[in-house]
């Protein structure tokens, strides 16, 4: 067949490209199917929230027994569940006002439970400074959430600050996974993590109070 009569393929079109596009569509369809099955299932956002609470209770017991690495893993998974329940609520449309209230309340309880177990380990080691820092971290983290709730009740959006919930989870997770005796080398990051958590939480409370003051003064 002469060259001038041979059909030409437009530039950028390759034999493998349509196959990859079909594969991409298949993956997207599978994700869509999985999402539809979840929505149609009996799974509720409250179930996810309660599962996160159970995992954090397990984490607290493991930390109390000084299984820091396992406790850190349970804390991480439980905290991930805390973020999934809100997303699933919005995605599935199964959210309720009580579910939102339960989610916010359990977040505070879960963080406090794990930090209480951490404080216990410091107290049994006669490390009064670190135990006191845990108490400061608990109070400050509660105030971080409280200042946001009060600000939003006044009509002010208040998500500013260094130590938001995800940041606090990351700091404490690092401290637990790399605690002394966790089995990951000769690390001892739990005590420094607690000091950092307490300091950043206190700073965040100050940031949010200042933010609300400026917003209300400018209104």
């Amino acid at each position: 067949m002469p060259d001038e009569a041979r059909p030409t393929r437009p530039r950028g079109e390759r034999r493998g490209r349509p196959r990859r596009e079909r594969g991409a569509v298949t993956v997207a369809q599978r994700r869509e199917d999985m999402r539809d099955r979840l929505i149609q299932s009996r799974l509720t956002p409250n179930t996810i929230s309660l599962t996160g609470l159970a995992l954090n209770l397990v984490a607290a017991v493991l930390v109390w027994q000084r299984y820091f690495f396992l406790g850190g893993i349970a804390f991480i998974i439980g905290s991930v569940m805390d973020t999934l329940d809100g997303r699933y609520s919005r995605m599935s449309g199964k959210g309720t006002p009580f579910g939102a209230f339960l989610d916010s309340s359990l977040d505070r309880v879960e963080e406090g439970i794990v930090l209480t177990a951490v404080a216990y380990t410091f107290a049994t080691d006669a490390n009064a400074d670190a135990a006191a820092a845990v108490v400061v971290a608990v109070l400050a983290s509660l105030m971080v959430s409280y200042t946001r709730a009060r600000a939003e009740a006044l009509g002010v959006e208040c998500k500013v600050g260094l130590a938001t919930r995800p940041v606090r989870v990351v700091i404490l997770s690092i401290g637990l996974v790399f605690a002394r005796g966790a089995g990951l080398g000769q690390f001892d990051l739990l005590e420094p993590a607690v000091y950092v958590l307490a300091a950043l939480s206190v700073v965040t409370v100050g940031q949010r109070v200042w933010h609300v003051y400026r917003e209300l003064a400018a209104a």
Side-chain angles (χ1 to χ4, degrees), residues 33 102 132 149 194:
D33 291 341
L102 181 66
V194 166

Side-chain angles (χ1 to χ4, degrees), residues 186-197:
Q186 301 299 318
F187 297 103
D188 188 10
L189 298 185
L190 183 56
E191 185 174 347
V194 166
Y195 288 129
V196 171
L197 182 62

Side-chain angles (χ1 to χ4, degrees), residues 16 47 59 67 97 106 110 122 182 210:
T47 302
Y67 295 108
L106 291 182
E110 292 162 1
F122 287 136
W210 178 246

Side-chain angles (χ1 to χ4, degrees), residues 12-88:
E13 182 178 340
R14 298 292 184 270
R15 292 182 179 179
R17 182 165 296 180
R19 183 177 301 175
R20 286 198 298 268
E21 290 176 355
R22 287 195 298 271
V25 171
T26 301
V27 171
Q29 289 177 344
R30 289 178 180 177
R31 291 178 179 174
E32 190 75 18
D33 291 341
M34 290 178 62
R35 188 182 71 175
D36 292 340
R37 289 178 182 177
L38 279 175
I39 293 175
Q40 295 170 4
S41 69
R42 295 183 179 180
L43 181 66
T44 64
N46 290 349
T47 302
I48 300 176
S49 298
L50 292 174
T51 302
L53 173 63
L55 287 170
N56 278 277
L57 287 171
V58 171
V61 172
L62 290 170
V63 171
W64 175 54
Q65 294 293 327
R66 295 181 180 272
Y67 295 108
F68 294 113
F69 178 78
L70 294 177
I73 297 300
F75 175 67
I76 292 171
I77 299 175
S79 299
V80 169
M81 299 293 287
D82 292 336
T83 61
L84 289 179
D85 54 4
R87 294 182 181 180
Y88 179 71

